[in-house]
Amino acid sequence: MADAFIVEAVRTAGGRRNGRLAGVHPADLAAVVLDGLLDRTGIDPAAIEDVIMGCVTQAGEQSFAFGRNAVFASRLPDSVPAVTIDRQCGSSQQAIQFAAQAVMSGTQDVVIAAGTESMSRVPMFSNMSFHKKEGVGIGPVSESIAARFGVAEFSQFGGAELIAKKYGFDRDTLDRFALESHRRAAAATESGAFRDEIVPIMVDGEPHMRDEGIRTDATLEGIGSVRLLQEGGVISAANASQICDGSSAVLVVNERALKTHGLTPIARIVDMTVTAGDPVIMLEEPLFATDKALRKAGLSIDDIDLYEVNEAFAPVPLAWVRHVGADPARLNVNGGAIALGHPLGASGTKLMATLVHALRARGKRYGLQTMCEGGGIANVTIIEAL
């Protein structure tokens, strides 16, 4: 089967909730990275055969064929189709994998995988809460599902607490991890490590180029002073990912497209895995998905030079490191979602942009990306930098 190559991977700098990007319509936010790929690669816009757009909260301004609206807002011609997908936090990582499957099969040669989430303008869970407020339906968990799993609802916050308890992580351990995320993100920003992956978006006449959530003055004491999300728990807003506005995109092609369009790849997709498990603990599945991905690829964790494991909640990457026997020094080397933000549907392609560019900057070979997802699902993508 043919290979799938990444030609370019870009993202916007993150915006805090109600921060610098809050005034940007999500379709326009998405258009920035679609146009950024065109600018960086020089490819003919009409050559793009599909746009696969990850977006979690498909409501309000992110509804009504959102991916297609992103195309309309961009420089792509009307002839370029688009589809919007939801695999929760892994939506745009799945977009990469769908795009790779398309070009590997030869049914398409040039596909953009992307993701966008404006969590300021389309709040998380608003696609459910508005229905609940109006008394429409009973919500996404039917009576049969509730009876099967013995819960009234599936909670990511509850899942994070369950993982912390299962692996014995106390609050101090989680807070220290959070502090390190801010320190690494701040150092990466100051060193210019994000320069190659960030595309500017104009806000009030100036380019937005710096992730807004990084706390350069973060201290362990300050993080530890943040109120816990539940009494007796260990999770707080400070050791969990930040609400964030942002978009990201990756151009995925096959070898035929490289030759036809004179493109130079920056990475090759080595393996694509998606698995599912317990929807109650929910966030633990990246551990087991990684086991499977490494077996499929014929690699060990020691072969992987860098890993991006989404920092939805601090216990997730900490449990992942322990389970797979990974080197913490190779994990989220430029910080993670605790500092940089987690724009839900955009995080998959966002992490890929960071991973590809970090590998190339260090002259390293293999990278692995994974994240926990609603419903107890996890994607794993292994790449080889070129």
Side-chain angles (χ1 to χ4, degrees):
M1 187 176 289
D3 283 324
F5 298 95
I6 293 173
V7 175
E8 186 57 275
V10 299
R11 68 176 180 94
T12 63
R16 296 182 69 176
R17 177 168 53 181
N18 300 323
R20 294 201 73 207
L21 298 183
V24 183
H25 191 287
D28 295 329
L29 188 60
V32 169
V33 292
L34 299 182
D35 289 344
L37 286 182
L38 300 179
D39 292 338
R40 295 277 185 95
T41 64
I43 193 169
D44 179 358
I48 306 301
E49 295 175 80
D50 207 353
V51 173
I52 306 174
M53 179 69 68
C55 183
V56 173
T57 309
Q58 295 179 34
E61 294 178 349
Q62 292 175 173
S63 64
F64 194 63
F66 174 64
R68 181 67 168 152
N69 288 335
V71 169
F72 294 152
S74 75
R75 298 204 318 272
L76 292 171
D78 296 350
S79 59
V80 176
V83 64
T84 313
I85 64 169
D86 172 15
R87 203 189 281 278
Q88 294 293 278
C89 299
S91 295
S92 56
Q93 185 171 356
Q94 184 60 60
I96 295 171
Q97 296 187 184
F98 280 154
Q101 290 164 357
V103 304
M104 290 168 72
S105 72
T107 55
Q108 294 173 318
D109 295 336
V110 184
V111 179
I112 291 176
T116 303
E117 205 85 32
S118 176
M119 300 179 75
S120 296
R121 299 174 73 96
V122 186
M124 186 166 51
F125 306 130
S126 60
N127 53 344
M128 296 185 291
S129 61
F130 290 170
H131 287 76
K132 183 177 181 179
K133 181 180 178 181
E134 296 299 320
V136 179
I138 64 169
V141 178
S142 69
E143 292 179 0
S144 64
I145 297 172
R148 175 180 176 180
F149 292 99
V151 295
E153 63 179 3
F154 298 115
S155 167
Q156 58 180 324
F157 307 106
E161 292 285 358
L162 288 171
I163 290 179
K165 183 177 181 180
K166 179 176 179 177
Y167 291 89
F169 298 131
D170 60 17
R171 182 176 184 178
D172 182 67
T173 300
L174 305 185
D175 287 351
R176 290 181 183 278
F177 182 86
L179 178 60
E180 182 64 14
S181 182
H182 284 283
R183 287 176 172 169
R184 292 186 181 191
T189 299
E190 293 308 314
S191 71
F194 295 134
R195 188 179 300 117
D196 289 340
E197 67 194 65
I198 292 179
V199 292
I201 177 170
M202 298 305 294
V203 178
D204 298 328
E206 295 185 356
H208 176 59
M209 292 286 291
R210 188 183 181 97
D211 294 289
E212 204 174 4
I214 303 170
R215 296 184 175 91
T216 57
D217 60 349
T219 64
L220 189 61
E221 292 73 23
I223 291 172
S225 70
V226 176
R227 180 175 60 86
L228 293 170
L229 298 183
Q230 68 179 50
E231 187 176 351
V234 292
I235 304 296
S236 75
N239 59 38
S241 57
Q242 293 187 45
I243 288 173
C244 181
D245 304 330
S247 62
S248 52
V250 175
L251 182 62
V252 181
V253 307
N254 56 24
E255 188 171 3
R256 181 166 56 196
L258 293 177
K259 295 176 180 177
T260 300
H261 302 286
L263 301 170
T264 301
I266 60 174
R268 179 179 69 90
I269 296 177
V270 174
D271 181 78
M272 301 171 289
T273 295
V274 59
T275 68
D278 186 346
V280 178
I281 196 169
M282 189 185 296
L283 312 179
E284 191 181 23
E285 192 59 22
L287 285 59
F288 316 123
T290 299
D291 292 338
K292 182 177 181 179
L294 291 171
R295 286 196 303 271
K296 286 171 56 187
L299 298 170
S300 73
I301 193 62
D302 293 333
D303 294 319
I304 308 298
D305 297 296
L306 296 177
Y307 352 105
E308 284 288 328
V309 181
N310 193 38
E311 296 174 0
F313 299 89
V316 177
L318 284 169
W320 182 89
V321 164
R322 180 183 296 179
H323 175 84
V324 302
D327 179 359
R330 305 183 193 183
L331 171 70
N332 302 350
V333 292
N334 291 331
I338 290 172
L340 298 165
H342 175 20
L344 300 185
S347 286
T349 36
K350 174 182 181 291
L351 265 60
M352 182 57 72
T354 297
L355 179 59
V356 171
H357 291 291
L359 284 169
R360 287 169 57 82
R362 290 165 171 76
K364 299 298 184 179
R365 184 179 183 185
Y366 287 119
L368 182 150
Q369 173 189 337
T370 187
M371 62 177 66
C372 53
E373 302 157 9
I377 302 173
N379 285 76
V380 178
T381 312
I382 298 175
I383 62 168
E384 179 184 18
L386 301 174

